[in-house]
Amino acid sequence: TQGCLQLLQHIAKRHHVRRYADIGCGTGVLSLAARKLWPQAQGVLGDIDAEAVGVTRQNARANGGTGRMAFVTG
């Protein structure tokens, strides 16, 4: 996770992101970081575990809301 967060910061220095996907979102840490880096981007967050998607949704609500984020179980 730490390496992915560092990579997101590296990307943010060079690129404007409009859409992102967090496949296997778990708790949503990477999606929350992406939303902070690119607040206008649209995100799709998904996991095969419905409970993980629920936790991700709760974490998003607790950290600024779920706007511009779609949650998928599949």
Side-chain angles (χ1 to χ4, degrees), residues 14-37:
R14 291 163 176 77
H15 301 283
H16 174 73
V17 172
R18 293 182 294 164
R19 290 183 291 268
Y20 61 90
D22 187 352
I23 310 302
C25 61
T27 61
V29 169
L30 298 177
S31 294
L32 294 174
R35 188 179 66 197
K36 294 227 183 254
L37 292 167

Side-chain angles (χ1 to χ4, degrees), residues 6-63:
Q6 290 172 341
L7 180 59
L8 287 175
Q9 290 176 326
H10 179 77
I11 292 169
K13 291 177 184 176
R14 291 163 176 77
H15 301 283
H16 174 73
V17 172
R18 293 182 294 164
R19 290 183 291 268
Y20 61 90
D22 187 352
I23 310 302
C25 61
T27 61
V29 169
L30 298 177
S31 294
L32 294 174
R35 188 179 66 197
K36 294 227 183 254
L37 292 167
W38 303 287
Q40 298 303 314
Q42 296 179 350
V44 176
L45 300 69
D47 204 297
I48 60 171
D49 183 347
E51 188 173 337
V53 174
V55 168
T56 297
R57 188 186 312 265
Q58 289 173 349
N59 287 340
R61 284 186 186 131
N63 288 279

